[in-house]
């Protein structure tokens, strides 16, 4: 028996009788079913007569519910048209009219389609098929696996999760992680020395807390979104789900997979500063048991900064194989190459960004560049033993070859007439291999429902680092040049200084974890989990042939409580922990001293509320305190010794909204207020210092209006208050407000055009930095134009 699952989310009427009558083999839920939803709200449907599977997919998307078809898909069966405003049950009954099928609402988010009393009428062939519709509807997403490792409604996840959907990515022409986090409260993106993603999440900076489909992707490079279905940001530490690191949270890219639904989209884009980019997304089913998909990108662009260039391309084929109705195997391979000018930005002067022209390059651009090559293969096995018990095993191998070299500004002199330049290069080669296994069992003890998760993760990461210092004219490690003429062509020789790294490391992890999502009643849920990691690092310093090793046994609990006074509303509280071992997030900081240190600990306390205002509109809010402890600090009684008494605290609250306000108005909005400071002196800062790149307040708002059937308009605003550039709190980046806009035109049913304008009012602002003297100005008014053809 084949299961057709069209995944969305929403609230529909369910009845105990319908739940009880669901076929035993389907087992849609445990004994404690969710509270019935409301059927009085009408939704405007536009579903013409078409093949049944396509019609059910359209219904799932427009009604924002999951539809499960517990019979083989009917090839050649036409649906009845559904045009106009109906409640979801009415629309589904009308869609199935004359097909011999009937619908039962099994819970607040799932409709079960079965044979009617008289069986399926008509002469047609039954063909097994699996189709998965998008989990998101417009800008709203109703379900997640990032927060719990199980398929869970977002409102039932007792932690803050922000999701940037593929629709929002497309509407804003997002192409990088920096674009994404602008609309995620509580996260800012650092300058990353011009060659890597470097977010600060709830006051904790990182370059390693990135994941792809739930698997670690921790090398320092700039990620593209060409093959991304959505980006999910889990805020606050949660090692139970992701393991070590993730002190402020993690960012998980969910990639596009092969599906049996035909897909074809070719986009060509051009714009200001010689921007040129093309992407392709093509896929379909090849029979009942095989589906393929290909995503690709090519870009050759310049930028508003002098001498900047970017050339990147990516190839990502995927395949899906169905072995009977219960087993699916998916595989994929990605080759991604990124070559860019390393641009470290502008220096500061007298506590603020200097008054240099925002396009000015400081240093030698001919010798400032970065290359990143990523080669990755993945395989996933999904098997359903029954409707209650399922297994997933995922393996990912990835090879990263990263090199960057830069000539950059270090500081201005006292009268602001000369700037000192430095230079160095660094090479990193890393090979990752991870395997994860999750076993999920839905069961019940009396009237209490359980979703039990048991899993294991094994990983091995081999890394080599090699760094060299640059010497101008083969003589000095610094060069003073006039501030008004900072772009130079001075020769630079690169060789190792006494302190430059030349090392190799092998990191391994073996982890087991268990979790129980408990439905105590229709108004009360709880989640408890525990993870044990054995994390080891073997480190070889090739400079002095020193060999070091460190083993940490990490125990990471999580707990949460969800109260649901009514079905669309959740009130929650949660507690979670994570650790960062002393080798650091890039395994480069192990020494004879740090080898003896215990991991840093991150502890998150959070309360919040989530409200699904309508099926496609969700509001969330959270208040939190995140403590970072066990940080290194100098011993006040002996400056030669290191103690672990340093502490940092981040407190804040955030509000976000995403979805459809009306049939013609989609929006996403976010607000955050944070304070991150050192509460006990560390090796980097005294007590009371404010953490850099954490603005006190940020606001984001993006709207899309469909003013006519073929014309849409977009308008957005970003605002953030001032923030410090570095932990010494001597340089302040001013606050700013930026407006963006867009126009969307459907030329024909298969051809559309889009214009995006960034910084509509041509505001001069400074977006971020890497320390006090690598400050990145924001782009002036920029225009992008794209054409997309679909089949």
């Amino acid at each position: 028996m084949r299961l057709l699952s069209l995944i969305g989310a929403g609230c529909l009427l369910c009845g105990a009788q319908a739940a009880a009558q669901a076929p035993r083999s389907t087992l849609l839920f445990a004994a404690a079913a969710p509270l019935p939803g409301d059927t009085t709200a009408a939704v405007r449907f536009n579903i013409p007569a078409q093949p049944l599977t396509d019609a059910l997919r359209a219904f799932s998307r427009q009604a924002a519910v999951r539809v499960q078809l517990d019979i083989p898909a009917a090839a050649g069966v036409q649906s009845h048209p559904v045009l106009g405003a109906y409640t979801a049950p009415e629309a589904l009954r009308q869609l199935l009219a004359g097909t011999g099928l009937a619908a039962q609402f099994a819970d607040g988010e799932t409709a079960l389609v079965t044979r009617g009393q008289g069986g399926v009428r008509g002469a047609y062939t039954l063909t097994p098929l699996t189709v998965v519709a998008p989990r998101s509807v417009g800008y709203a997403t109703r379900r997640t696996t990032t927060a719990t490792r199980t398929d869970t409604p977002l409102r039932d996840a007792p932690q803050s999760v922000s999701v940037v959907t593929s629709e929002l990515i497309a509407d804003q022409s997002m192409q990088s992680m920096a674009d994404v986090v602008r609309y995620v409260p509580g996260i800012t993106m650092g300058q990353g020395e011009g060659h890597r993603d470097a977010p600060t999440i709830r006051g904790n900076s990182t370059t390693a807390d990135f994941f792809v489909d739930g698997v670690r992707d921790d090398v320092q490079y700039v990620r593209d979104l060409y093959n991304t279905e959505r980006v999910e940001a889990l805020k606050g530490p949660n090692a139970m789900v992701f393991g070590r690191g993730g002190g402020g949270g993690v960012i998980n890219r969910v990639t596009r997979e092969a599906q049996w639904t035909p897909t074809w989209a070719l986009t060509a884009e051009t714009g200001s500063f010689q921007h040129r980019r093309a992407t392709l997304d093509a896929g379909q089913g090849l029979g009942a048991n095989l589906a393929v998909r290909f995503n690709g990108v090519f870009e050759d662009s310049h930028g508003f900064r002098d001498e900047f260039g970017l050339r990147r391309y990516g190839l990502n084929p995927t395949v899906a194989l169905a072995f009977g109705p219960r087993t699916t195997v998916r595989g994929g391979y990605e080759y991604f190459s990124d070559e860019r000018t390393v641009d470290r930005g502008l220096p500061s002067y007298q506590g603020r960004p200097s008054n240099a022209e925002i396009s000015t390059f400081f240093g030698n651009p001919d010798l400032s560049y970065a290359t990143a090559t990523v080669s990755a293969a993945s395989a996933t096995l999904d098997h359903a033993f029954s409707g209650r018990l399922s297994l997933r095993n995922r393996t990912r191998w990835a090879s990263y070859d990263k090199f960057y070299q830069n000539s950059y500004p270090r500081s201005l002199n006292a009268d602001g007439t000369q700037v000192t330049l430095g230079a160095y290069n660094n090479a990193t080669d890393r090979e990752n291999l991870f395997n994860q296994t999750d076993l999920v069992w839905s069961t019940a003890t009396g009237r209490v429902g359980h979703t039990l998760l048991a899993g294991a993760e094994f990983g091995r990461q081999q890394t080599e680092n090699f760094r060299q210092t640059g010497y101008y004219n083969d003589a000095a490690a610094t060069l003073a040049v006039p501030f008004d003429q900072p772009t130079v062509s001075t020769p630079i020789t690169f060789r190792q200084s006494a302190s430059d790294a030349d090392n190799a490391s092998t990191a391994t992890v073996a982890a087991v974890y268990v979790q129980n999502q408990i439905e105590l009643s229709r108004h009360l849920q709880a989640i408890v989990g525990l993870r044990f990691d054995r994390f080891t690092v073997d480190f070889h310093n090739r400079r002095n042939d020193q060999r070091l090793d460190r083993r940490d046994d990490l125990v990471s609990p999580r707990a949460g409580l969800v109260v649901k006074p009514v079905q669309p509303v959740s009130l929650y509280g949660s507690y979670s922990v994570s650790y960062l071992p002393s080798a650091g997030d890039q395994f480069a900081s192990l020494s004879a001293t740090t080898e003896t240190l215990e991991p840093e600990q991150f502890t998150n306390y959070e309360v919040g509320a989530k409200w699904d205002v309508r099926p496609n509109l969700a509001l969330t809010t959270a208040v939190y305190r995140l403590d970072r402890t066990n940080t290194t600090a100098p011993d006040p009684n002996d400056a030669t010794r290191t103690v672990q008494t340093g502490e940092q605290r981040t407190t804040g609250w955030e509000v976000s909204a995403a979805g459809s306000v009306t049939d013609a108005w989609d929006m996403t909005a976010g607000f955050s207020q944070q304070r991150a400071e050192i509460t006990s002196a560390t090796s980097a800062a005294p007590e009371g210092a404010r953490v850099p790149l954490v603005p006190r307040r940020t606001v984001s708002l993006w709207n899309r209006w469909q003013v006519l059937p073929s014309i849409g308009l977009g308008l957005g605003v970003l605002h953030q208050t001032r923030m410090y550039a570095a932990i010494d709190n001597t340089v302040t980046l001013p606050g700013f407000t930026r407006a963006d806009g867009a126009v969307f035109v459907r030329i024909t049913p298969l051809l559309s055009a889009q214009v995006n304008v960034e910084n509509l009012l041509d505001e001069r602002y400074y977006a971020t930095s890497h320390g006090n003297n690598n400050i990145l100005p924001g782009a002036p008014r920029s225009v992008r134009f794209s054409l997309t053809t679909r089949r």
Side-chain angles (χ1 to χ4, degrees), residues 407-478:
S407 170
Y408 63 96
R410 296 182 62 169
S411 62
L412 274 171
N413 64 356
D415 62 7
T417 59
Q418 284 193 320
V419 59
T420 300
L421 305 178
Y424 72 94
N425 64 29
N426 193 92
T428 299
D429 291 323
R430 180 172 296 166
E431 184 174 291
N432 286 355
L433 179 62
F434 288 97
N435 179 267
Q436 300 174 344
T437 301
D438 289 340
L439 187 66
V440 180
W441 182 32
S442 296
T443 187
T445 53
R447 300 177 63 86
V448 177
H450 304 269
T451 300
L452 296 169
L453 165 71
E457 179 177 25
F458 301 94
R460 179 183 177 90
Q461 298 178 269
Q462 295 178 295
T463 307
E464 295 187 355
N465 289 307
F466 186 78
R467 176 171 169 141
Q468 299 181 109
T469 298
Y471 294 88
Y472 289 88
N473 292 314
D474 198 23
T478 61

Side-chain angles (χ1 to χ4, degrees), residues 80-152:
H80 193 277
V82 182
L83 305 172
Y86 301 93
T87 65
E90 291 171 345
L92 189 53
R93 281 194 294 270
Q94 183 168 326
L95 184 149
L96 296 175
T99 65
L101 303 177
Q104 298 173 332
F105 295 98
D107 63 24
E109 294 179 332
T110 306
L112 175 67
V113 178
T114 61
R115 287 184 174 88
Q117 293 287 341
V120 180
R121 296 195 300 262
Y124 49 77
T125 303
L126 295 179
T127 305
L129 182 66
T130 297
V131 180
V132 180
R135 299 168 62 83
S136 60
V137 182
Y139 298 165
T141 296
R142 299 291 299 280
R143 306 189 74 85
T144 180
T145 58
T146 295
T148 60
R149 300 190 72 92
T150 63
D151 184 22
T152 301

Side-chain angles (χ1 to χ4, degrees), residues 491-569:
I492 305 174
T493 303
F494 293 89
R495 60 178 181 270
Q496 284 210 301
S497 70
S499 60
D500 284 336
D502 181 5
N503 58 58
S505 65
T506 299
T508 61
V509 65
V512 293
Y513 44 88
V514 292
Q515 178 181 267
N516 189 1
Q517 293 170 259
I518 309 166
E519 192 164 14
L520 298 165
S521 73
R522 62 187 186 182
H523 297 296
L524 184 62
Q525 299 176 0
I527 183 171
V528 291
L530 188 70
R531 177 175 175 133
F532 172 79
D533 287 81
R534 173 156 291 178
F535 180 72
T536 64
V537 176
D538 294 315
F539 184 85
H540 180 204
N541 186 341
R542 291 170 172 160
R543 298 297 301 271
N544 57 12
D545 202 33
Q546 183 182 42
R547 295 181 181 272
L548 305 169
D549 63 84
R550 170 80 195 183
R551 189 187 87 179
D552 291 295
D553 292 337
L554 309 175
V555 179
S556 307
R558 78 171 304 183
L561 192 67
V562 179
V563 179
K564 306 178 74 171
V566 293
Q567 179 68 9
V569 176

Side-chain angles (χ1 to χ4, degrees), residues 679-693:
T679 53
S680 180
T682 70
S683 299
E687 181 180 342
R690 297 283 295 275
V691 176
L693 303 186

